[in-house]
Amino acid sequence: NGDTGKNGEEIHPQSFNNLEIGLIGGVAFISGTMIGSGIFMSPQFVLAYAGSPGASLLIWALCGVVSMFAAMSYTELGTLIPESGGEFIYILRIFGPFPAFFAAITSIVVVKPFGVAAVALGIAKYATAPFYVGCDPPQLLVKCVAAAAILTVAIINVMNVRIAVRIQVVFLVVKVLTLMIIVIGGIVALTQSQRVLVQNLNVDDAFKGTRYSFSTLGMAFYQGFWSYSGWSYLNRVIEELKKPQVNLPRAVVIAVSLVTSLYLLVNVSYLTVMTPKELISSSAVAVTWGNKVLGSWGWIMSLAVALSTFGTLNGSFFGDGRVCFVAAREGHMPEILSMVHVHRLTPCTALIFTTVASLLVLIPGDFQSIVNFHSFLAWFFDAIVLSGLLYLKIKKPELPRTYRVPIILPILVLIAAVFLVLAPIIDDPQIEYLYVTLFIFSGVLIYIPFIHYKLCPSLLTKLTIFLQLFLQVAPAEKNL
């Protein structure tokens, strides 16, 4: 489609050959994407749904364990199917194009934009918090700041892969330092006065008020797992990872272990200086913590959290854009989204599409509802992927594997995924979940004419040629 550029120069198909990510970069992308708005915004929701400090800490620990098991399961798939695209490519290779299309369109149009929008809202809330002490900032201002953050990260990822990777490493350092400040501050506060922590976590009161309904526990886990989301991001860009058979397993174990340890320590620090009521009522828990521990220097936490969450947004964009790119490369999205810039070798069209979709989601959404529906859909497709791994382990054990996990791990994660999908629906059904489900299956109206029968209106072909010339993009080859 279009073999000459706008100035007449010849454009050849480019190899998407940007192998830029080593072990350190892999650890940075996983942990850097995981550590973001979640640990700074979800603790109050987890505690509110769980009903008690003891139950909330238990949920945080279980989320870490399940995330590790899930990440290890995905690692076996990543070394068995070393192609970028994450959940989409695994469903495609195991179950075929029909279910893969539903995964692609739901992920690209809903799940990924929801995730990007939620992270951007986290940046905006903390960036504006110092200017509105004692009250919530205007929603219009928050969403404008969130939109600016999305556009900034989009430009960075479109311009250069190396810059995106370096930003991820640098901001990982900022994230770890921010969490270490909270951990150390909690230890200092604990040595000065144990009253609040003892009241929150003593044996008699730690689990007092715990809520045991399926719906509330499911929502608590949704919020907790949102903070851990990112454990599969390296699978989505595995074609850009050096020595994936070696670096993927190492990066997963290092990153998820680091994040789980920090999350538990940070939550203990929150409960050291805040009562459950103060924590639940806080709109920016790290700022409330900073005001109590750091006093007049509490504004530093707003800046640190905003920068930390910016790194998460960068990692999300890097991975999410690749899912869109791979789905288009496999013929499940418009061809233009599978093309890369002829000079920068970045999947700029896929990134632009992700940017537009995220901005549209941002307009009507709020953080809590975005996280809940994002988690519902994400775990729905995680359950499909894990069932595919079990199928391969049972039916095709002869396939060459450089990394194996015990079969009990994907089974346990699959049980958790089924619970997370069904619990809120069974205990507290909401019409929104029906809408989401109908949206998933409405994709059949697109699949049959455009994917199965490969109908392509001439207008779409002309649009593809125009955008290819305008954006200076060309088809990409796989890194095999």
Side-chain angles (χ1 to χ4, degrees):
N1 289 333
D3 55 359
T4 58
K6 61 182 179 181
N7 295 321
E9 73 273 16
E10 187 175 356
I11 296 178
H12 297 284
Q14 299 293 318
S15 174
F16 193 32
N17 191 22
N18 280 333
L19 294 176
E20 301 288 351
I21 307 174
L23 177 59
I24 295 176
V27 172
F29 263 101
I30 297 174
S31 55
T33 306
M34 291 173 73
I35 302 173
S37 61
I39 188 59
F40 304 115
M41 296 186 69
S42 291
Q44 59 265 47
F45 296 118
V46 173
L47 180 57
Y49 285 123
S52 67
S56 69
L57 287 178
L58 183 59
I59 287 171
W60 282 101
L62 288 174
C63 287
V65 172
V66 173
S67 296
M68 176 63 83
F69 290 171
M72 293 171 67
S73 300
Y74 266 59
T75 298
E76 180 171 336
L77 279 170
T79 54
L80 187 62
I81 307 173
E83 299 178 65
S84 295
E87 298 89 342
F88 163 74
I89 202 69
Y90 302 145
I91 295 174
L92 176 64
R93 298 296 178 233
I94 298 171
F95 297 111
F98 188 61
F101 173 76
F102 294 104
I105 193 169
T106 306
S107 176
I108 294 165
V109 178
V110 181
V111 178
K112 307 309 177 190
F114 270 45
V116 169
V119 174
L121 285 172
I123 296 174
K125 282 182 176 292
Y126 274 95
T128 56
F131 304 100
Y132 294 88
V133 180
C135 62
D136 293 332
Q139 279 298 303
L140 179 60
L141 176 62
V142 169
K143 291 190 176 183
C144 286
V145 174
I150 291 173
L151 291 172
T152 301
V153 170
I155 292 171
I156 292 171
N157 278 269
V158 166
M159 295 298 291
N160 195 291
V161 171
R162 282 195 178 93
I163 294 176
V165 173
R166 289 171 182 169
I167 284 177
Q168 199 66 11
V169 175
V170 170
F171 280 91
L172 174 62
V173 175
V174 175
K175 294 167 186 287
V176 174
L177 288 176
T178 302
L179 295 182
M180 289 307 299
I181 290 174
I182 297 175
V183 171
I184 295 171
I187 294 173
V188 172
L190 179 61
T191 60
Q192 293 175 349
S193 173
Q194 299 185 16
R195 179 182 59 82
V196 176
L197 182 64
V198 170
Q199 180 182 345
N200 288 340
L201 299 180
N202 68 64
V203 176
D204 295 330
D205 296 334
F207 290 90
K208 185 178 180 180
T210 300
R211 305 170 69 183
Y212 295 101
S213 71
F214 282 119
S215 176
T216 54
L217 286 176
M219 291 301 180
F221 276 107
Y222 275 178
Q223 292 291 331
F225 279 121
W226 163 252
S227 300
Y228 284 94
S229 62
W231 47 261
S232 65
Y233 265 69
L234 200 55
N235 291 68
R236 299 174 186 175
V237 297
I238 197 169
E239 291 176 28
E240 295 169 77
L241 178 66
K242 300 175 184 177
K243 300 179 181 178
Q245 288 77 13
V246 175
N247 287 330
L248 181 59
R250 292 178 179 176
V252 162
V253 173
I254 294 171
V256 179
S257 299
L258 171 68
V259 171
T260 302
S261 302
L262 285 173
Y263 279 5
L264 288 172
L265 291 172
V266 166
N267 273 279
V268 170
S269 179
Y270 288 154
L271 292 168
T272 300
V273 299
M274 285 182 278
T275 64
K277 185 176 180 180
E278 288 175 326
L279 202 156
I280 291 172
S281 62
S282 174
S283 59
V285 63
V287 172
T288 304
W289 181 94
N291 292 335
K292 281 181 167 290
V293 176
L294 304 178
S296 60
W297 290 90
W299 61 271
I300 291 178
M301 292 308 301
S302 294
L303 177 62
V305 172
L307 292 175
S308 299
T309 311
F310 184 84
T312 298
L313 186 62
N314 179 66
S316 298
F317 234 89
F318 193 97
D320 294 346
R322 269 60 179 178
V323 175
C324 181
F325 167 82
V326 172
R329 187 177 65 185
E330 297 294 336
H332 287 69
M333 294 292 286
E335 182 186 9
I336 187 66
L337 299 179
S338 67
M339 298 185 184
V340 298
H341 195 276
V342 294
H343 302 302
R344 303 185 186 279
L345 298 181
T346 57
C348 58
T349 52
L351 292 169
I352 291 171
F353 181 86
T354 302
T355 303
V356 174
S358 302
L359 292 173
L360 291 175
V361 169
L362 185 66
I363 295 172
D366 64 271
F367 179 82
Q368 189 173 359
S369 61
I370 285 176
V371 168
N372 288 342
F373 288 111
H374 171 275
S375 299
F376 171 79
L377 288 168
W379 281 104
F380 178 85
F381 288 106
D382 283 336
I384 297 175
V385 172
L386 291 165
S387 64
L389 175 58
L390 292 174
Y391 168 80
L392 293 179
K393 292 178 80 68
I394 295 171
K395 294 292 186 179
K396 298 187 177 182
E398 74 282 358
L399 292 176
R401 292 171 169 85
T402 58
Y403 180 86
R404 295 175 183 267
V405 295
I407 194 170
I408 188 63
L409 297 190
I411 290 175
L412 291 175
V413 180
L414 180 59
I415 293 172
V418 172
F419 166 77
L420 290 167
V421 170
L422 296 181
I425 298 176
I426 294 173
D427 196 64
D428 184 22
Q430 298 180 34
I431 192 65
E432 289 81 0
Y433 291 107
L434 176 61
Y435 295 154
V436 170
T437 305
L438 289 175
F439 173 82
I440 295 174
F441 292 105
S442 67
V444 71
L445 300 176
I446 300 175
Y447 179 85
I448 292 175
F450 299 114
I451 307 300
H452 183 71
Y453 289 106
K454 300 186 183 300
L455 297 180
C456 183
S458 58
L459 180 61
L460 183 60
T461 302
K462 293 178 181 179
L463 179 62
T464 299
I465 295 173
F466 169 77
L467 290 175
Q468 186 177 350
L469 297 174
F470 179 73
L471 297 173
Q472 290 189 315
V473 295
E477 299 173 355
K478 291 184 181 179
N479 284 329
L480 298 176

mmCIF file of all heavy atoms in Angstrom, residues 169-204:
data_model
loop_
_atom_site.group_PDB
_atom_site.id
_atom_site.type_symbol
_atom_site.label_atom_id
_atom_site.label_comp_id
_atom_site.label_asym_id
_atom_site.label_seq_id
_atom_site.Cartn_x
_atom_site.Cartn_y
_atom_site.Cartn_z
ATOM 1 N N VAL A 169 13.548 3.210 33.442
ATOM 2 C CA VAL A 169 14.576 2.884 34.441
ATOM 3 C C VAL A 169 14.719 4.016 35.449
ATOM 4 O O VAL A 169 14.776 3.790 36.666
ATOM 5 C CB VAL A 169 15.921 2.587 33.753
ATOM 6 C CG1 VAL A 169 17.022 2.377 34.793
ATOM 7 C CG2 VAL A 169 15.811 1.361 32.849
ATOM 8 N N VAL A 170 14.782 5.255 34.956
ATOM 9 C CA VAL A 170 14.951 6.410 35.851
ATOM 10 C C VAL A 170 13.780 6.542 36.807
ATOM 11 O O VAL A 170 13.953 6.743 38.021
ATOM 12 C CB VAL A 170 15.122 7.707 35.018
ATOM 13 C CG1 VAL A 170 15.045 8.935 35.929
ATOM 14 C CG2 VAL A 170 16.440 7.686 34.268
ATOM 15 N N PHE A 171 12.575 6.405 36.283
ATOM 16 C CA PHE A 171 11.403 6.578 37.134
ATOM 17 C C PHE A 171 11.187 5.394 38.063
ATOM 18 O O PHE A 171 10.515 5.533 39.082
ATOM 19 C CB PHE A 171 10.163 6.851 36.284
ATOM 20 C CG PHE A 171 10.051 8.278 35.830
ATOM 21 C CD1 PHE A 171 10.603 8.686 34.629
ATOM 22 C CD2 PHE A 171 9.425 9.218 36.617
ATOM 23 C CE1 PHE A 171 10.524 10.001 34.218
ATOM 24 C CE2 PHE A 171 9.328 10.534 36.221
ATOM 25 C CZ PHE A 171 9.882 10.932 35.018
ATOM 26 N N LEU A 172 11.762 4.227 37.728
ATOM 27 C CA LEU A 172 11.731 3.128 38.683
ATOM 28 C C LEU A 172 12.499 3.505 39.941
ATOM 29 O O LEU A 172 12.070 3.204 41.065
ATOM 30 C CB LEU A 172 12.328 1.858 38.069
ATOM 31 C CG LEU A 172 12.487 0.680 39.033
ATOM 32 C CD1 LEU A 172 11.137 0.233 39.584
ATOM 33 C CD2 LEU A 172 13.201 -0.487 38.352
ATOM 34 N N VAL A 173 13.627 4.169 39.762
ATOM 35 C CA VAL A 173 14.411 4.638 40.920
ATOM 36 C C VAL A 173 13.582 5.608 41.752
ATOM 37 O O VAL A 173 13.560 5.534 42.992
ATOM 38 C CB VAL A 173 15.723 5.303 40.450
ATOM 39 C CG1 VAL A 173 16.478 5.893 41.639
ATOM 40 C CG2 VAL A 173 16.590 4.303 39.706
ATOM 41 N N VAL A 174 12.868 6.523 41.079
ATOM 42 C CA VAL A 174 12.016 7.475 41.792
ATOM 43 C C VAL A 174 10.928 6.742 42.571
ATOM 44 O O VAL A 174 10.634 7.063 43.732
ATOM 45 C CB VAL A 174 11.376 8.483 40.800
ATOM 46 C CG1 VAL A 174 10.398 9.406 41.525
ATOM 47 C CG2 VAL A 174 12.449 9.288 40.101
ATOM 48 N N LYS A 175 10.336 5.729 41.948
ATOM 49 C CA LYS A 175 9.278 4.957 42.610
ATOM 50 C C LYS A 175 9.789 4.275 43.869
ATOM 51 O O LYS A 175 9.168 4.353 44.929
ATOM 52 C CB LYS A 175 8.740 3.880 41.653
ATOM 53 C CG LYS A 175 8.016 4.359 40.430
ATOM 54 C CD LYS A 175 7.844 3.198 39.458
ATOM 55 C CE LYS A 175 7.251 3.642 38.143
ATOM 56 N NZ LYS A 175 5.840 3.969 38.252
ATOM 57 N N VAL A 176 10.929 3.576 43.732
ATOM 58 C CA VAL A 176 11.472 2.845 44.879
ATOM 59 C C VAL A 176 11.853 3.807 45.992
ATOM 60 O O VAL A 176 11.586 3.545 47.178
ATOM 61 C CB VAL A 176 12.674 1.984 44.448
ATOM 62 C CG1 VAL A 176 13.335 1.335 45.658
ATOM 63 C CG2 VAL A 176 12.227 0.903 43.460
ATOM 64 N N LEU A 177 12.455 4.939 45.650
ATOM 65 C CA LEU A 177 12.819 5.934 46.663
ATOM 66 C C LEU A 177 11.570 6.470 47.367
ATOM 67 O O LEU A 177 11.565 6.657 48.587
ATOM 68 C CB LEU A 177 13.607 7.086 46.021
ATOM 69 C CG LEU A 177 15.041 6.768 45.590
ATOM 70 C CD1 LEU A 177 15.654 7.968 44.880
ATOM 71 C CD2 LEU A 177 15.888 6.369 46.795
ATOM 72 N N THR A 178 10.507 6.715 46.594
ATOM 73 C CA THR A 178 9.263 7.209 47.190
ATOM 74 C C THR A 178 8.691 6.201 48.181
ATOM 75 O O THR A 178 8.307 6.562 49.306
ATOM 76 C CB THR A 178 8.224 7.481 46.082
ATOM 77 O OG1 THR A 178 8.754 8.430 45.150
ATOM 78 C CG2 THR A 178 6.933 8.026 46.674
ATOM 79 N N LEU A 179 8.653 4.938 47.774
ATOM 80 C CA LEU A 179 8.128 3.920 48.675
ATOM 81 C C LEU A 179 9.034 3.725 49.889
ATOM 82 O O LEU A 179 8.551 3.487 51.006
ATOM 83 C CB LEU A 179 7.961 2.592 47.929
ATOM 84 C CG LEU A 179 6.910 2.584 46.802
ATOM 85 C CD1 LEU A 179 6.811 1.198 46.180
ATOM 86 C CD2 LEU A 179 5.541 3.026 47.315
ATOM 87 N N MET A 180 10.352 3.843 49.685
ATOM 88 C CA MET A 180 11.278 3.696 50.814
ATOM 89 C C MET A 180 11.112 4.836 51.805
ATOM 90 O O MET A 180 11.263 4.647 53.027
ATOM 91 C CB MET A 180 12.717 3.629 50.313
ATOM 92 C CG MET A 180 13.063 2.326 49.592
ATOM 93 S SD MET A 180 12.666 0.847 50.556
ATOM 94 C CE MET A 180 13.704 1.086 51.998
ATOM 95 N N ILE A 181 10.812 6.041 51.314
ATOM 96 C CA ILE A 181 10.537 7.174 52.221
ATOM 97 C C ILE A 181 9.334 6.850 53.096
ATOM 98 O O ILE A 181 9.343 7.089 54.314
ATOM 99 C CB ILE A 181 10.295 8.466 51.413
ATOM 100 C CG1 ILE A 181 11.599 8.942 50.766
ATOM 101 C CG2 ILE A 181 9.709 9.566 52.304
ATOM 102 C CD1 ILE A 181 11.409 10.118 49.831
ATOM 103 N N ILE A 182 8.293 6.286 52.472
ATOM 104 C CA ILE A 182 7.091 5.929 53.239
ATOM 105 C C ILE A 182 7.403 4.829 54.247
ATOM 106 O O ILE A 182 6.969 4.885 55.405
ATOM 107 C CB ILE A 182 5.963 5.492 52.286
ATOM 108 C CG1 ILE A 182 5.555 6.660 51.373
ATOM 109 C CG2 ILE A 182 4.752 5.000 53.074
ATOM 110 C CD1 ILE A 182 4.530 6.294 50.327
ATOM 111 N N VAL A 183 8.184 3.827 53.821
ATOM 112 C CA VAL A 183 8.527 2.723 54.722
ATOM 113 C C VAL A 183 9.362 3.217 55.897
ATOM 114 O O VAL A 183 9.076 2.928 57.066
ATOM 115 C CB VAL A 183 9.279 1.613 53.959
ATOM 116 C CG1 VAL A 183 9.838 0.569 54.934
ATOM 117 C CG2 VAL A 183 8.359 0.940 52.949
ATOM 118 N N ILE A 184 10.410 3.990 55.610
ATOM 119 C CA ILE A 184 11.287 4.500 56.679
ATOM 120 C C ILE A 184 10.538 5.462 57.584
ATOM 121 O O ILE A 184 10.695 5.440 58.810
ATOM 122 C CB ILE A 184 12.533 5.181 56.063
ATOM 123 C CG1 ILE A 184 13.381 4.133 55.323
ATOM 124 C CG2 ILE A 184 13.366 5.877 57.139
ATOM 125 C CD1 ILE A 184 14.506 4.724 54.510
ATOM 126 N N GLY A 185 9.694 6.317 56.965
ATOM 127 C CA GLY A 185 8.887 7.232 57.774
ATOM 128 C C GLY A 185 7.967 6.486 58.712
ATOM 129 O O GLY A 185 7.763 6.900 59.865
ATOM 130 N N GLY A 186 7.411 5.366 58.239
ATOM 131 C CA GLY A 186 6.556 4.552 59.102
ATOM 132 C C GLY A 186 7.327 3.939 60.254
ATOM 133 O O GLY A 186 6.827 3.863 61.387
ATOM 134 N N ILE A 187 8.569 3.492 59.972
ATOM 135 C CA ILE A 187 9.403 2.915 61.037
ATOM 136 C C ILE A 187 9.732 3.964 62.092
ATOM 137 O O ILE A 187 9.656 3.710 63.305
ATOM 138 C CB ILE A 187 10.701 2.332 60.439
ATOM 139 C CG1 ILE A 187 10.369 1.129 59.541
ATOM 140 C CG2 ILE A 187 11.669 1.914 61.546
ATOM 141 C CD1 ILE A 187 11.559 0.592 58.762
ATOM 142 N N VAL A 188 10.073 5.164 61.640
ATOM 143 C CA VAL A 188 10.372 6.256 62.594
ATOM 144 C C VAL A 188 9.142 6.583 63.423
ATOM 145 O O VAL A 188 9.227 6.745 64.654
ATOM 146 C CB VAL A 188 10.868 7.500 61.832
ATOM 147 C CG1 VAL A 188 10.994 8.680 62.783
ATOM 148 C CG2 VAL A 188 12.196 7.214 61.148
ATOM 149 N N ALA A 189 7.987 6.679 62.761
ATOM 150 C CA ALA A 189 6.749 6.980 63.495
ATOM 151 C C ALA A 189 6.422 5.868 64.482
ATOM 152 O O ALA A 189 5.916 6.121 65.582
ATOM 153 C CB ALA A 189 5.598 7.176 62.511
ATOM 154 N N LEU A 190 6.727 4.634 64.112
ATOM 155 C CA LEU A 190 6.449 3.502 64.987
ATOM 156 C C LEU A 190 7.310 3.560 66.254
ATOM 157 O O LEU A 190 6.834 3.258 67.352
ATOM 158 C CB LEU A 190 6.696 2.192 64.241
ATOM 159 C CG LEU A 190 6.467 0.890 65.021
ATOM 160 C CD1 LEU A 190 5.015 0.805 65.476
ATOM 161 C CD2 LEU A 190 6.840 -0.309 64.166
ATOM 162 N N THR A 191 8.560 3.959 66.111
ATOM 163 C CA THR A 191 9.438 4.053 67.280
ATOM 164 C C THR A 191 9.022 5.199 68.199
ATOM 165 O O THR A 191 9.258 5.149 69.409
ATOM 166 C CB THR A 191 10.895 4.267 66.839
ATOM 167 O OG1 THR A 191 10.993 5.480 66.071
ATOM 168 C CG2 THR A 191 11.379 3.100 65.992
ATOM 169 N N GLN A 192 8.404 6.219 67.619
ATOM 170 C CA GLN A 192 7.984 7.363 68.435
ATOM 171 C C GLN A 192 6.671 7.096 69.158
ATOM 172 O O GLN A 192 6.500 7.473 70.304
ATOM 173 C CB GLN A 192 7.834 8.606 67.537
ATOM 174 C CG GLN A 192 9.159 9.086 66.962
ATOM 175 C CD GLN A 192 8.973 10.234 65.994
ATOM 176 O OE1 GLN A 192 7.857 10.548 65.584
ATOM 177 N NE2 GLN A 192 10.070 10.875 65.615
ATOM 178 N N SER A 193 5.750 6.422 68.484
ATOM 179 C CA SER A 193 4.456 6.137 69.101
ATOM 180 C C SER A 193 3.833 4.935 68.419
ATOM 181 O O SER A 193 3.636 4.944 67.209
ATOM 182 C CB SER A 193 3.517 7.345 68.986
ATOM 183 O OG SER A 193 2.225 7.005 69.443
ATOM 184 N N GLN A 194 3.545 3.910 69.193
ATOM 185 C CA GLN A 194 2.959 2.698 68.648
ATOM 186 C C GLN A 194 1.434 2.681 68.783
ATOM 187 O O GLN A 194 0.795 1.698 68.442
ATOM 188 C CB GLN A 194 3.527 1.474 69.371
ATOM 189 C CG GLN A 194 5.032 1.326 69.225
ATOM 190 C CD GLN A 194 5.547 0.045 69.854
ATOM 191 O OE1 GLN A 194 4.782 -0.863 70.148
ATOM 192 N NE2 GLN A 194 6.845 -0.025 70.058
ATOM 193 N N ARG A 195 0.859 3.762 69.237
ATOM 194 C CA ARG A 195 -0.554 3.757 69.582
ATOM 195 C C ARG A 195 -1.439 3.402 68.391
ATOM 196 O O ARG A 195 -2.287 2.513 68.467
ATOM 197 C CB ARG A 195 -0.959 5.141 70.119
ATOM 198 C CG ARG A 195 -2.440 5.242 70.492
ATOM 199 C CD ARG A 195 -2.773 6.649 70.966
ATOM 200 N NE ARG A 195 -2.486 7.638 69.962
ATOM 201 C CZ ARG A 195 -3.300 7.927 68.951
ATOM 202 N NH1 ARG A 195 -4.439 7.266 68.802
ATOM 203 N NH2 ARG A 195 -2.987 8.865 68.084
ATOM 204 N N VAL A 196 -1.245 4.095 67.245
ATOM 205 C CA VAL A 196 -2.136 3.893 66.109
ATOM 206 C C VAL A 196 -1.972 2.496 65.536
ATOM 207 O O VAL A 196 -2.940 1.792 65.276
ATOM 208 C CB VAL A 196 -1.868 4.956 65.016
ATOM 209 C CG1 VAL A 196 -2.730 4.679 63.792
ATOM 210 C CG2 VAL A 196 -2.169 6.346 65.560
ATOM 211 N N LEU A 197 -0.728 2.045 65.316
ATOM 212 C CA LEU A 197 -0.511 0.737 64.737
ATOM 213 C C LEU A 197 -1.041 -0.365 65.638
ATOM 214 O O LEU A 197 -1.668 -1.314 65.178
ATOM 215 C CB LEU A 197 0.980 0.523 64.463
ATOM 216 C CG LEU A 197 1.337 -0.815 63.797
ATOM 217 C CD1 LEU A 197 0.716 -0.898 62.419
ATOM 218 C CD2 LEU A 197 2.845 -1.002 63.702
ATOM 219 N N VAL A 198 -0.779 -0.251 66.956
ATOM 220 C CA VAL A 198 -1.263 -1.263 67.891
ATOM 221 C C VAL A 198 -2.777 -1.318 67.875
ATOM 222 O O VAL A 198 -3.393 -2.381 67.879
ATOM 223 C CB VAL A 198 -0.746 -0.979 69.319
ATOM 224 C CG1 VAL A 198 -1.437 -1.888 70.324
ATOM 225 C CG2 VAL A 198 0.758 -1.192 69.383
ATOM 226 N N GLN A 199 -3.419 -0.159 67.806
ATOM 227 C CA GLN A 199 -4.881 -0.114 67.755
ATOM 228 C C GLN A 199 -5.398 -0.740 66.461
ATOM 229 O O GLN A 199 -6.411 -1.441 66.448
ATOM 230 C CB GLN A 199 -5.352 1.340 67.855
ATOM 231 C CG GLN A 199 -6.869 1.494 67.808
ATOM 232 C CD GLN A 199 -7.276 2.958 67.872
ATOM 233 O OE1 GLN A 199 -6.480 3.826 68.231
ATOM 234 N NE2 GLN A 199 -8.512 3.231 67.506
ATOM 235 N N ASN A 200 -4.683 -0.526 65.346
ATOM 236 C CA ASN A 200 -5.140 -1.045 64.059
ATOM 237 C C ASN A 200 -4.908 -2.547 63.906
ATOM 238 O O ASN A 200 -5.712 -3.249 63.287
ATOM 239 C CB ASN A 200 -4.408 -0.328 62.913
ATOM 240 C CG ASN A 200 -4.878 1.116 62.746
ATOM 241 O OD1 ASN A 200 -5.958 1.463 63.202
ATOM 242 N ND2 ASN A 200 -4.054 1.936 62.115
ATOM 243 N N LEU A 201 -3.797 -3.049 64.448
ATOM 244 C CA LEU A 201 -3.390 -4.412 64.157
ATOM 245 C C LEU A 201 -3.280 -5.321 65.372
ATOM 246 O O LEU A 201 -2.672 -6.384 65.292
ATOM 247 C CB LEU A 201 -2.034 -4.398 63.419
ATOM 248 C CG LEU A 201 -2.016 -3.676 62.057
ATOM 249 C CD1 LEU A 201 -0.625 -3.733 61.455
ATOM 250 C CD2 LEU A 201 -3.020 -4.307 61.111
ATOM 251 N N ASN A 202 -3.843 -4.944 66.519
ATOM 252 C CA ASN A 202 -3.793 -5.884 67.644
ATOM 253 C C ASN A 202 -4.703 -7.076 67.362
ATOM 254 O O ASN A 202 -5.618 -7.013 66.530
ATOM 255 C CB ASN A 202 -4.169 -5.188 68.965
ATOM 256 C CG ASN A 202 -5.620 -4.769 69.008
ATOM 257 O OD1 ASN A 202 -6.528 -5.607 68.969
ATOM 258 N ND2 ASN A 202 -5.866 -3.464 69.077
ATOM 259 N N VAL A 203 -4.444 -8.161 68.025
ATOM 260 C CA VAL A 203 -5.116 -9.429 67.727
ATOM 261 C C VAL A 203 -6.633 -9.305 67.832
ATOM 262 O O VAL A 203 -7.383 -9.876 67.041
ATOM 263 C CB VAL A 203 -4.600 -10.536 68.673
ATOM 264 C CG1 VAL A 203 -5.362 -11.838 68.433
ATOM 265 C CG2 VAL A 203 -3.103 -10.742 68.485
ATOM 266 N N ASP A 204 -7.106 -8.537 68.797
ATOM 267 C CA ASP A 204 -8.550 -8.452 69.023
ATOM 268 C C ASP A 204 -9.269 -7.631 67.957
ATOM 269 O O ASP A 204 -10.402 -7.927 67.582
ATOM 270 C CB ASP A 204 -8.820 -7.847 70.405
ATOM 271 C CG ASP A 204 -8.329 -8.756 71.529
ATOM 272 O OD1 ASP A 204 -8.331 -9.985 71.323
ATOM 273 O OD2 ASP A 204 -7.923 -8.224 72.585
#
